[in-house]
Amino acid sequence: MASGSPSLLEEELSCPVCSAIYRDPVLLSCSHSFCKACLQQYWDQKGSLECPVCRRRSSRVHPPISLSLKNTCEAFLKERSQRAKAGSEVLCSLHSEKLKVFCLDDKIPICVICQISKKHENHKMQPVQEAAEEYKEKLRTALAPLQEKLKAFNAVKLICDQTAEHIKSQTQHTERQIKMEFENLQQFLKEEEAARITALREEEEQKSQMMKEKIEKMTEEISSLSEQIRALEQELGAEDISFLQSYKDTQNRAQCTLGDPEKVSGALIDVAKHLGNLKYRVWEKMLGTVQYTPVTLDPNTAHPKLSLSEDLTSVRRSGERQQVPDNPERFDPWGCLLGSEGFSSGRHCWDVEVGGVDWRVGVVKESISRKGHVDVSPAGGVWSVKLFKGEYIALTSPLTRLTVQRNLQRVRVQLDWDRGEVSFSDPSDNTPLYTFKHSFTERLFPFFVGTVRICPLKVSVCVK
């Protein structure tokens, strides 16, 4: 290789295909060299073993690597790197000397001439390498919290991304449920409309048939009377002798045996029956098809291993962790969930159908910790009873074992926020189980653990 300026040498050591310094250069029989990867890529694209420069066909599928050219390229790259490092070395702006000392007072690197100058007299000094290592260590220490902060931001951003996707999923699912519920209502109204129109048509047919029979009967009677009248009128037109001879028979025929015609009562359609309070009566009937529950479960608070029913009235353990966002309202790792509505005054009551061998029902304060360890006693803001290993327990401190005559199928929870009472009882016979007393200061939410179902209330209509 001819020695010349760095630019000419670099040109000599550059691959004709990629224009970069050779990497693993191979030599063809035509004396042209290329990077091994560049040549193979060119051959794959062309589908033939021709030289990219002169187009001569290579006799070898795997041309040999040119070791001398490879060594030259590596030496050139090393030398260029060293020149770049030497060219980037910073010199003292006053004395054009290398900066070898670091002034600890002024916090700047200086040269040895600056070190003995009056400007840095009595200043503390330190070799650049030692100072750099010391200050790098300080920077690493300062960098650690920033890295942790970045990690925290990335973690929260990931949750935000998951939340955004979950919002779309929730919207689609909720929209389907809304449409389904309204379709059911519309189907109910269509069926009710059809039933009422059918009843109207049946009444029409019945009364029309009655009027048809009445009209036919009266038509027959009118025909009979008309015939009788015509016969009598003919007798009246006869000669006197003839009229008198047959008068006795004519007089008998003139007798009317039909009673007076009667108007038909109740023949018209009972419009009031079909239209009177129509909307109210349809709504009253609709109440038999709908349910009302005093508590609705909040899926946004449910532990990922809990599965809720479509109408948000029952919950069970699913076993598999669901893909839901780790939002602040969600309990994790405590496997419970809350009702959707909190109470900060008044009296409230709901019945819970309990199942399985491990459940818990009660109320919790709004500010209870949703993550990590939770104090499940009244001191921690939890007032509840549970079934655990066959025992019914009130979660007091210490625990209170409850005396129960038979296995509970339902538990009634009664909250009197103003009086500061949370009572539990068996609704089947109103047997009291336990009553907590506490001066509440914040909103309380119904809460549940295990397989439970909120019992619906009977809906009735009262007209005043």
Side-chain angles (χ1 to χ4, degrees):
M1 292 277 177
S3 62
S5 64
S7 59
L8 292 175
L9 178 60
E10 185 173 350
E11 185 177 348
E12 289 290 331
L13 299 178
S14 298
C15 172
V17 176
C18 65
S19 300
I21 302 300
Y22 287 115
R23 292 169 295 174
D24 296 328
V26 294
L27 181 63
L28 297 181
S29 57
C30 60
S31 299
H32 290 122
S33 296
F34 307 93
C35 296
K36 181 180 180 181
C38 293
L39 180 63
Q40 188 60 51
Q41 184 179 6
Y42 179 82
W43 282 356
D44 290 343
Q45 291 176 350
K46 294 292 289 184
S48 63
L49 305 181
E50 64 179 32
C51 172
V53 176
C54 67
R55 300 295 189 266
R56 282 185 59 184
R57 183 174 180 81
S58 173
S59 59
R60 294 187 178 184
V61 178
H62 301 289
I65 291 178
S66 176
L67 293 177
S68 59
L69 181 56
K70 180 179 180 182
N71 293 336
T72 303
C73 291
E74 290 177 351
F76 173 79
L77 291 172
K78 185 176 181 181
E79 182 182 355
R80 187 170 68 175
S81 176
Q82 290 173 348
R83 284 200 309 270
K85 288 182 179 179
S88 63
E89 190 173 52
V90 180
L91 301 178
C92 177
S93 60
L94 297 176
H95 309 104
S96 299
E97 295 287 335
K98 292 183 179 181
L99 303 176
K100 295 184 176 181
V101 182
F102 185 76
C103 177
L104 297 175
D105 293 271
D106 294 334
K107 297 290 189 298
I108 57 171
I110 59 176
C111 69
V112 292
I113 299 177
C114 292
Q115 181 181 4
I116 60 177
S117 68
K118 190 174 182 178
K119 182 180 179 181
H120 294 280
E121 187 178 1
N122 298 324
H123 284 192
K124 291 182 179 181
M125 303 293 172
Q126 193 175 11
V128 166
Q129 186 175 1
E130 291 182 11
E133 188 59 37
E134 180 179 332
Y135 281 97
K136 283 181 180 179
E137 186 59 35
K138 288 182 179 180
L139 186 59
R140 290 190 192 98
T141 303
L143 186 62
L146 295 177
Q147 291 172 331
E148 289 298 319
K149 183 75 72 176
L150 176 61
K151 188 185 297 184
F153 269 93
N154 285 330
V156 174
K157 181 181 179 298
L158 178 61
I159 293 175
C160 290
D161 292 338
Q162 294 173 343
T163 302
E165 289 299 317
H166 193 65
I167 288 172
K168 294 180 182 178
S169 175
Q170 279 186 312
T171 302
Q172 293 171 355
H173 178 75
T174 305
E175 182 178 339
R176 286 195 299 270
Q177 289 300 115
I178 291 173
K179 288 182 177 179
M180 185 181 300
E181 291 296 330
F182 273 92
E183 285 174 2
N184 291 337
L185 290 174
Q186 290 166 1
Q187 182 63 30
F188 169 84
L189 292 175
K190 286 180 180 178
E191 292 175 355
E192 187 67 16
E193 176 190 10
R196 292 180 180 275
I197 290 177
T198 299
L200 173 63
R201 297 300 185 198
E202 288 176 352
E203 183 179 355
E204 178 197 21
E205 183 178 354
Q206 177 187 356
K207 292 188 173 180
S208 295
Q209 181 64 28
M210 179 183 69
M211 292 306 299
K212 179 182 178 182
E213 292 174 357
K214 181 71 173 177
I215 291 171
E216 288 177 352
K217 183 178 179 182
M218 293 188 70
T219 300
E220 292 176 358
E221 291 174 343
I222 289 172
S223 177
S224 175
L225 281 173
S226 297
E227 186 64 30
Q228 185 178 5
I229 290 171
R230 281 196 298 273
L232 292 174
E233 287 176 344
Q234 288 179 356
E235 290 294 333
L236 288 174
E239 293 292 333
D240 292 344
I241 296 299
S242 178
F243 169 77
L244 291 175
Q245 287 177 338
S246 60
Y247 175 73
K248 189 174 182 179
D249 293 334
T250 301
Q251 187 180 23
N252 290 334
R253 291 199 302 273
Q255 301 297 320
C256 182
T257 59
L258 297 176
D260 293 335
E262 296 180 358
K263 295 180 180 179
V264 181
S265 177
L268 298 179
I269 296 294
D270 191 351
V271 177
K273 181 184 74 173
H274 296 287
L275 293 182
N277 294 315
L278 178 60
K279 294 178 182 178
Y280 172 82
R281 288 189 286 117
V282 172
W283 174 66
E284 186 180 35
K285 187 174 181 180
M286 188 183 294
L287 291 178
T289 67
V290 299
Q291 286 189 346
Y292 172 79
T293 53
V295 172
T296 300
L297 302 178
D298 185 356
N300 295 335
T301 66
H303 184 276
K305 287 190 176 181
L306 296 180
S307 179
L308 279 68
S309 62
E310 295 290 356
D311 60 359
L312 305 181
T313 61
S314 64
V315 60
R316 61 179 178 83
R317 292 186 178 94
S318 63
E320 296 183 359
R321 193 178 182 89
Q322 302 179 70
Q323 295 299 318
V324 292
D326 186 21
N327 50 299
E329 300 84 0
R330 193 176 305 282
F331 284 89
D332 195 2
W334 197 23
C336 74
L337 80 163
L338 302 183
S340 61
E341 182 183 0
F343 310 112
S344 55
S345 64
R347 300 176 64 184
H348 310 275
C349 177
W350 58 94
D351 289 356
V352 185
E353 187 178 284
V354 290
V357 295
D358 180 13
W359 51 260
R360 183 180 303 171
V361 297
V363 296
V364 299
K365 63 181 183 180
E366 184 176 18
S367 62
I368 191 170
S369 173
R370 311 292 176 99
K371 314 296 181 184
H373 175 72
V374 178
D375 182 359
V376 297
S377 69
V382 182
W383 297 269
S384 65
V385 297
K386 72 173 184 177
L387 171 64
F388 182 68
K389 293 184 177 179
E391 285 191 298
Y392 295 97
I393 301 170
L395 276 297
T396 56
S397 183
L399 301 178
T400 301
R401 265 70 181 178
L402 304 179
T403 301
V404 178
Q405 299 300 324
R406 57 178 178 273
N407 290 335
L408 296 175
Q409 303 297 319
R410 294 186 179 186
V411 175
R412 176 166 295 165
V413 184
Q414 293 175 291
L415 169 64
D416 191 330
W417 196 96
D418 300 318
R419 294 182 60 184
E421 292 183 356
V422 183
S423 301
F424 299 88
S425 60
D426 181 354
S428 64
D429 55 7
N430 293 323
T431 302
L433 298 175
Y434 193 82
T435 298
F436 291 91
K437 293 182 180 294
H438 185 82
S439 296
F440 304 124
T441 58
E442 60 179 284
R443 279 207 302 177
L444 301 180
F445 283 81
F447 100 106
F448 313 89
V449 177
T451 301
V452 299
R453 184 179 75 90
I454 310 299
C455 299
L457 296 179
K458 184 177 180 180
V459 181
S460 59
V461 179
C462 180
V463 180
K464 292 185 179 181

